[in-house]
Amino acid sequence: MLKGIDPVLSPELLKIMAEMGHDDTLVLADANFTAMSLGVGKPIVRLPGVGMLRAVQAVTSLLPLAADVAHPVACMQVGGTEAPYLSGLQREVVAHLQTHLPAGTGVEAVERYAFYDQVSIAYAIVVTGELQPWGNFILHKGVISEALVA
C-alpha cells in the first residue's frame, strides 16, 4: 500500500498508467468484454468485483485526460440505440468525468464495431467486474504539466 493512491489501482495497473504516453488510450471494459481476443499483445489487467464507476474514479484520480482532442473519452454505444443515448451506468460515469474533462472537451458514444477498432490501437485493457452490458470506456491520456505536479 502507498499513501494517497486509491487501493483499487493494482501495482500492475499503476505501472501501465505510468508507462503510457500522451494520447495513449486505456480501455476500461465490462466483465463481458472480449478482451482476450481484442487485446492480443496488449497488457490486460483484471479488477474483479470492481464496478465501472469505481474503476473510472480510481483511474482518473491519477490519469489526466487529453485536452488536445475533442473527445478524450469514448463509451460504447448501447446496441439498438442511437447516439447520444446513454445507459444509466454511462450517465453516472460521464457525470463523474465532468470534473476531469478538460474545458471544451466531451464524451463520445462510439458504435460497437468502431469501438472495437479503437480498442485495437489502445495501449492496454482493464477488465472490471462491471456486469452492465455496453459498459465500456476508452480514456485518452493527457499531458502532465508543472501545474498538475504542484
Side-chain angles (χ1 to χ4, degrees):
M1 296 296 289
L2 294 172
K3 183 178 171 183
I5 295 179
D6 192 308
V8 167
L9 301 172
S10 67
E12 184 181 12
L13 182 51
L14 286 168
K15 178 181 181 291
I16 288 167
M17 289 169 48
E19 290 172 344
M20 290 173 63
H22 174 236
D23 275 337
D24 276 340
T25 57
L26 182 66
V27 177
L28 295 172
D30 64 36
N32 294 299
F33 193 74
T34 54
M36 298 311 291
S37 60
L38 292 175
V40 172
K42 299 179 185 317
I44 298 174
V45 177
R46 295 193 177 275
L47 297 178
V50 177
M52 184 58 65
L53 178 58
R54 184 68 183 93
V56 169
Q57 289 168 335
V59 168
T60 56
S61 73
L62 298 178
L63 187 87
L65 296 174
D68 63 336
V69 294
H71 301 102
V73 177
C75 63
M76 183 182 279
Q77 185 176 325
V78 175
T81 70
E82 293 184 27
Y85 174 82
L86 296 176
S87 71
L89 170 69
Q90 290 170 328
R91 287 190 303 273
E92 285 182 313
V93 171
V94 169
H96 167 75
L97 289 168
Q98 294 302 326
T99 62
H100 296 278
L101 286 167
T105 68
V107 177
E108 176 181 34
V110 177
E111 185 275 331
R112 176 181 171 192
Y113 292 103
F115 189 93
Y116 291 161
D117 288 342
Q118 290 185 26
V119 170
S120 71
I121 59 171
Y123 188 85
I125 300 173
V126 178
V127 180
T128 69
E130 181 60 58
L131 296 178
Q132 174 67 52
W134 315 100
N136 305 298
F137 290 82
I138 299 175
L139 307 179
H140 288 254
K141 185 177 182 181
V143 174
I144 302 290
S145 68
E146 289 182 17
L148 291 176
V149 174

Short mmCIF file of all heavy atoms in Angstrom, two decimals, residues 10 35 38 40 82 129:
data_model
loop_
_atom_site.label_atom_id
_atom_site.label_comp_id
_atom_site.label_asym_id
_atom_site.label_seq_id
_atom_site.Cartn_x
_atom_site.Cartn_y
_atom_site.Cartn_z
N SER A 10 -4.08 -1.52 -8.80
CA SER A 10 -3.09 -2.57 -8.51
C SER A 10 -1.70 -2.11 -8.95
O SER A 10 -1.58 -1.21 -9.80
CB SER A 10 -3.46 -3.85 -9.25
OG SER A 10 -3.34 -3.66 -10.65
N ALA A 35 -11.93 -9.07 -24.20
CA ALA A 35 -10.59 -8.51 -24.01
C ALA A 35 -9.49 -9.43 -24.52
O ALA A 35 -8.51 -8.96 -25.09
CB ALA A 35 -10.36 -8.21 -22.53
N LEU A 38 -9.51 -9.24 -28.49
CA LEU A 38 -9.22 -7.89 -28.99
C LEU A 38 -7.90 -7.34 -28.46
O LEU A 38 -7.32 -6.44 -29.05
CB LEU A 38 -10.35 -6.92 -28.64
CG LEU A 38 -11.68 -7.15 -29.35
CD1 LEU A 38 -12.74 -6.20 -28.80
CD2 LEU A 38 -11.54 -6.98 -30.85
N VAL A 40 -4.97 -9.01 -27.94
CA VAL A 40 -3.78 -9.83 -28.18
C VAL A 40 -2.55 -8.93 -28.28
O VAL A 40 -2.55 -7.95 -29.03
CB VAL A 40 -3.95 -10.68 -29.47
CG1 VAL A 40 -2.66 -11.39 -29.83
CG2 VAL A 40 -5.08 -11.67 -29.29
N GLU A 82 -29.50 4.99 -30.71
CA GLU A 82 -28.74 5.97 -31.48
C GLU A 82 -28.12 6.98 -30.53
O GLU A 82 -28.72 7.33 -29.51
CB GLU A 82 -29.67 6.69 -32.46
CG GLU A 82 -30.21 5.79 -33.56
CD GLU A 82 -31.04 6.54 -34.58
OE1 GLU A 82 -30.82 7.75 -34.77
OE2 GLU A 82 -31.91 5.90 -35.17
N GLY A 129 -15.18 -5.72 -13.06
CA GLY A 129 -16.23 -6.68 -12.71
C GLY A 129 -17.62 -6.18 -13.07
O GLY A 129 -18.62 -6.76 -12.64
#
